[in-house]
Amino acid sequence: MASSLIRGKHVVCKVHDRTRAEIIEDGAVYQEDGRIVAVGPHAELARRYRPDETLGSPHHVVIPGFVNSHHHVGLTPLQLGSPDHPLELWFASRMAARDVDPYLDALYSAFEMIESGITTVQHLHGRCPGPAERIQGAAQAVIRAYEAIGMRVSYSFGIRDQNRLVYEADDAFVARLPADIAPDVEALLRRQAIPLADNFRIFENLAATYRGSERVRIQLAPANLHWCSDRALEGVRDACAAHGVPFHMHVVETQYQKEYARRRTGTTAVAHLHRLGLLGPHCTIGHGVWLTEADIDLVAETGTRICHNCSSNLRLRSGVAALNRFERKGIPVAIGIDEAGINDDRDMLQEMRLVLRMHRVPGMDDQVPTAPQVLRMATEHGAATTPFGDAIGTLEPGKAADLSILSWQQIAAPYLDADVPVIDAIVQRGRSAGVETVVVAGEPILRDGKFTRVDKAAVLEELATALRRPRTEEETRRQELSRRVFPHVKAFYEGYVPDEAPDPFYRTSGRF
Ligand SMILES: [Zn+2]
């Protein structure tokens, strides 16, 4: 039986609400075999238990592990040559990306996530060419990477059965392309297409493979309304009910998606999902930038969750989500770093600070994000979007021992006024450089800044070596095709959104 006592000057166990949290001064967490047995004053726990080892010290702070609730890839699109276009154009520019080994790629971002205190990731996998066997192989390579490094993962492969490049049927779009690129675009889109039933087969196979795994869960991810037919969405609804798993779906990330929903359904994307019976606590809406007031009410009434992807919304010019409205309605909101944060990496502490600052609208009321609120978003609320649910996200007896040990020196030296609340200090001053040890299921996977299971330098070298080779013929063809189809994708959206569409960024103060 492996046990440890993790001590800190402050142990942050759980956030209760926007202002209150349970923090134990000179506290400790005692865990056995990955499960928390007790939390309390260090002196008392040290007397009561005989742990195999002690982690942390009076110069550290202990917090629950973060959950990155929306993640896709390792090397960022920018690293792979795709600049920050508006989302719809970015889909076209991303076609040019090189093929990267999925195992090494997943490890690359896992390094960044763990180094910033993330212990669980919601990995939403997409853009893998078929057939289903190949996708399943890539899925297992990704999961193997998380297993190798020791991170907890909720994995899903994005379901798409239509409209792969723009917000209309593939055939219709291809039919309007010039003859010299149409066949190549058609072939590329066809390679990505797999029968709808295969999507569910991939889910079921993976769910069976990882049943009983401590750190791996499989869930569903209908990629977005435009990518999914109603038949696909109904399939997701039924599979979730049959398997008792949640799902995560990009919804109204941009104004173009809002308009697409109106044209397709005559209402909003959220109202349509509700009509199909998909909303509820098992549903997480990724982004939700362009939700209407009525949508927000419906999300709140149904207990649906939202994942706030703040950096991504800025980088791809999607807009600013109405976080303050969500909070006022009591909607549980998680944080997702999506492809990458504003530093083009996966730093949760940085992302939390962006969320804290982004929504500070003018005025003196108490309606802007608070540090405890943001911490809860990054922990407990994130956890609830995954099949791990309330087994993770807070430090309480019976829960998984997933936590980070941060240097209090890094946060508080050379001086920090004693009146500064602990969580405010962590959220505003914590840096990934101060994240010393990260524990998942009781096991330190990062100890004193070093990965315990994987040789980071060797992996990075392997990744660099793999990409040092010249582009393959196929990669070059895709790069050229991306460049040539780009203006046609842009032309598709000219006049797509009516001029009078309100802009959530500028509309009214207090909106976000
Ligand atoms: Zn995304």
Side-chain angles (χ1 to χ4, degrees):
M1 189 167 66
S3 63
S4 55
L5 189 66
I6 302 114
R7 69 178 299 194
K9 177 179 172 59
H10 312 285
V11 174
V12 179
C13 299
K14 181 184 170 71
V15 174
H16 295 301
D17 55 30
R18 283 168 53 77
T19 54
R20 293 176 313 122
E22 186 184 332
I23 301 170
I24 304 170
E25 304 305 326
D26 293 315
V29 176
Y30 176 68
Q31 70 82 27
E32 282 177 4
D33 289 338
R35 210 138 298 278
I36 296 172
V37 175
V39 294
H42 171 257
E44 190 186 313
L45 267 53
R47 256 199 319 272
R48 209 186 320 157
Y49 299 104
R50 290 282 163 271
D52 298 333
E53 70 170 339
T54 296
L55 300 167
S57 79
H59 309 293
H60 289 94
V61 56
V62 179
I63 60 172
F66 297 139
V67 179
N68 179 6
S69 299
H70 190 116
H71 173 73
H72 299 287
V73 289
L75 286 173
T76 68
L78 183 76
Q79 284 175 296
L80 293 171
S82 179
D84 289 3
H85 293 293
L87 181 81
E88 283 76 11
L89 303 180
W90 186 73
F91 293 146
S93 83
R94 286 198 63 187
M95 276 167 53
R98 303 185 64 182
D99 296 322
V100 186
D101 177 84
Y103 175 81
L104 297 175
D105 195 51
L107 276 180
Y108 174 71
S109 47
F111 292 140
E112 292 183 344
M113 286 193 270
I114 294 164
E115 283 170 338
S116 78
I118 296 169
T119 51
T120 298
V121 60
Q122 178 82 271
H123 189 109
L124 307 164
H125 196 175
R127 294 190 177 76
C128 181
E133 289 65 32
R134 179 173 171 177
I135 292 170
Q136 204 166 302
Q140 285 178 279
V142 167
I143 295 169
R144 215 164 40 243
Y146 292 118
E147 288 183 311
I149 205 162
M151 196 173 180
R152 212 179 276 280
V153 57
S154 162
Y155 174 93
S156 49
F157 185 75
I159 296 177
R160 297 159 207 243
D161 69 339
Q162 59 179 24
N163 304 348
R164 289 177 179 81
L165 193 50
V166 296
Y167 300 163
E168 73 170 347
D170 297 345
D171 292 351
F173 181 64
V174 167
R176 283 188 284 103
L177 290 175
D180 60 336
I181 60 168
D184 285 347
V185 173
E186 188 185 16
L188 184 103
L189 297 180
R190 208 177 321 115
R191 265 201 304 282
Q192 291 177 7
I194 59 170
L196 179 57
D198 279 5
N199 283 281
F200 294 102
R201 202 156 54 80
I202 291 168
F203 163 72
E204 280 171 10
N205 288 345
L206 292 172
T209 303
Y210 295 99
R211 189 163 293 134
S213 164
E214 159 70 29
R215 301 187 199 181
V216 181
R217 295 284 187 280
I218 309 297
Q219 67 165 52
L220 287 143
N224 200 325
L225 182 67
H226 64 269
W227 278 319
C228 291
S229 65
D230 284 357
R231 204 158 67 84
L233 294 171
E234 284 160 357
V236 167
R237 177 196 63 204
D238 297 345
C240 283
H243 291 264
V245 295
F247 75 92
H248 191 118
M249 179 173 176
H250 297 79
V251 179
V252 287
E253 185 169 349
T254 65
Q255 56 186 330
Y256 302 95
Q257 292 178 7
K258 182 178 179 179
E259 174 61 13
Y260 166 81
R262 190 192 66 75
R263 292 185 189 191
R264 167 168 156 186
T265 69
T267 179
T268 65
V270 162
H272 186 65
L273 292 175
H274 189 48
R275 208 153 55 186
L276 294 177
L278 274 99
L279 298 187
H282 61 294
C283 163
T284 298
I285 288 173
H287 298 274
V289 175
W290 289 82
L291 297 173
T292 64
E293 302 300 327
D295 287 339
I296 295 171
D297 286 342
L298 194 51
V299 167
E301 282 160 23
T302 53
T304 302
R305 304 171 192 284
I306 294 175
C307 181
H308 184 26
N309 302 342
C310 198
S311 282
S312 165
N313 293 340
L314 290 175
R315 291 186 60 170
L316 303 185
R317 300 176 61 184
S318 302
V320 176
L323 178 65
N324 296 338
R325 299 274 173 107
F326 303 161
E327 176 70 10
R328 277 205 295 285
K329 297 279 180 183
I331 298 167
V333 183
I335 294 177
I337 307 178
D338 213 341
E339 261 86 359
I342 55 170
N343 290 345
D344 205 46
D345 63 9
R346 270 54 63 116
D347 182 337
M348 184 55 96
L349 287 160
Q350 163 76 50
E351 188 70 15
M352 288 162 70
R353 267 190 291 283
L354 185 65
V355 171
L356 183 72
R357 308 298 193 211
M358 188 72 226
H359 308 272
R360 293 179 64 78
V361 293
M364 293 186 187
D365 52 26
D366 178 27
Q367 293 186 338
V368 297
T370 65
Q373 174 191 339
V374 172
L375 180 65
R376 184 152 73 151
M377 292 170 72
T379 54
E380 193 178 357
H381 286 338
T385 72
T386 74
F388 296 105
D390 62 7
I392 59 171
T394 62
L395 303 181
E396 296 173 276
K399 297 215 176 186
D402 288 12
L403 50 88
S404 294
I405 304 169
L406 277 57
S407 162
W408 184 246
Q409 290 295 105
Q410 183 269 301
I411 292 167
Y415 176 74
L416 182 71
D417 196 282
D419 281 351
V420 177
V422 171
I423 293 180
D424 287 63
I426 294 168
V427 173
Q428 300 198 41
R429 295 187 51 79
R431 302 286 186 277
S432 55
V435 176
E436 291 188 6
T437 296
V438 174
V439 173
V440 176
E443 177 198 350
I445 60 168
L446 184 82
R447 189 192 283 268
D448 300 325
K450 301 242 173 338
F451 289 93
T452 56
R453 291 176 169 215
V454 173
D455 183 341
K456 179 181 169 184
V459 169
L460 295 184
E461 182 50 35
E462 205 181 334
L463 190 59
T465 303
L467 290 166
R468 231 173 263 137
R469 62 163 172 74
R471 278 180 192 271
T472 62
E473 218 171 280
E474 163 68 21
E475 286 174 335
T476 306
R477 211 173 23 242
R478 229 170 34 224
Q479 187 183 31
E480 173 68 5
L481 195 59
S482 163
R483 196 181 57 74
R484 294 177 66 194
V485 80
F486 192 90
H488 300 283
V489 171
K490 190 167 186 205
F492 174 83
Y493 293 103
E494 261 159 37
Y496 191 85
V497 174
D499 284 345
E500 68 273 19
D503 179 341
F505 194 98
Y506 297 107
R507 196 163 61 161
T508 55
S509 66
R511 161 75 186 168
F512 56 94

